[in-house]
Amino acid sequence: MVRAAPSGATAAATQITADTPFGPEDDQFHRSPDDNPYWAETTWWSFNIPERKIGGWLHGQFNTNRDTVTWRVYVWDPRGAEQSDLRYFRMATDVPVTDPAPDLRDITIPGGGFSVKMIRPLRDYEIEFEDSADAAGWAPLNHGWLLQDGRFELLDKSASRMKNYRDPLTGWSSHMQVDLVDVRGRTLGAEGIAASHICERGGGSTALMRWDLGSEIGWGEDQDIWHPKHFARMRDALQAVR
């Protein structure tokens, strides 16, 4: 969990006058001047841990004319600046905002995003984020479809998850569990066993998977492709644990 709140200010500094450039209403969403689909409003927060040389950002971009939000959370330190080298990175793009009247002063960004709660206008806020989908080895499923009873539907990425068991020698997937929920609420739980692999450029593999679907058996692929440098770090970590 990340919890952050800007430090307080003196009472005099919080007084709002005619010359103050911002007012309490600016803690809320602003009306778009037109119907431009690219009109965006952001909520952005940063934190740091100086003794560990760690910096962090929580950033949400609301395209209010499209009723969507793209959010990202990342943490970095001296070991690298590229996305594959960050201590932590998670991002969700164009998540539907279904609340008919979202309030930026008290909001939890949909799709597993962070929350913002105003404590004192223009001064104090509480920001929280918890990545519960990586807890106990589970990870989010950000994209996919469910074919059931002859019908394809897009997965609900806020409710679908997977757990991947890896071979510590190769780093490749050996066994997977998935809990799937589509946008219509249909569910499917399945287990997959890797039967064979192909690896290109040292960055993960594509595996032929045998899936146990309860009363049926299915075959398909797990395309587990990584940046080679990131994959090497993950494999080194697996071997160190072993």
Side-chain angles (χ1 to χ4, degrees), residues 23-76:
E25 66 277 7
D26 291 306
D27 277 327
Q28 178 57 297
F29 285 106
H30 296 76
R31 183 183 298 276
S32 170
D34 52 36
D35 60 357
N36 183 346
Y38 297 103
W39 164 266
E41 183 148 16
T42 63
T43 180
W44 167 69
W45 307 89
S46 66
F47 64 93
N48 58 74
I49 309 173
E51 65 273 18
R52 298 176 62 185
K53 299 180 181 178
I54 287 177
W57 271 28
L58 303 96
H59 184 274
Q61 175 180 308
F62 290 85
N63 291 108
T64 50
N65 287 337
R66 301 203 309 261
D67 293 321
T68 64
V69 60
T70 292
W71 61 265
R72 54 193 173 134
V73 176
Y74 51 88
V75 180
W76 70 90

Side-chain angles (χ1 to χ4, degrees), residues 211-231:
W211 289 96
D212 183 346
L213 305 175
S215 60
E216 299 182 65
I217 296 297
W219 291 85
E221 293 181 358
D222 170 36
Q223 297 181 355
D224 185 46
I225 309 303
W226 295 58
H227 187 290
K229 183 167 58 174
H230 193 186
F231 182 80

Side-chain angles (χ1 to χ4, degrees), residues 97-173:
V97 177
T98 57
D99 187 338
D103 188 340
L104 200 55
R105 299 164 299 183
D106 188 0
I107 191 170
T108 297
I109 297 178
F114 58 94
S115 65
V116 178
K117 185 173 184 179
M118 184 196 73
I119 306 301
R120 188 161 57 123
L122 301 176
R123 294 295 174 185
D124 296 309
Y125 309 83
E126 186 172 82
I127 315 302
E128 294 190 8
F129 175 69
E130 183 175 5
D131 190 349
S132 58
D134 288 338
W138 290 98
L141 273 170
N142 292 318
H143 193 65
W145 294 266
L146 177 60
L147 172 59
Q148 197 173 72
D149 300 325
R151 186 185 183 101
F152 266 115
E153 290 290 353
L154 189 67
L155 288 182
D156 179 349
K157 62 183 178 182
S158 68
S160 299
R161 62 180 188 168
M162 62 168 288
K163 184 181 287 188
N164 195 340
Y165 300 85
R166 296 183 178 276
D167 184 316
L169 292 179
T170 64
W172 298 340
S173 301

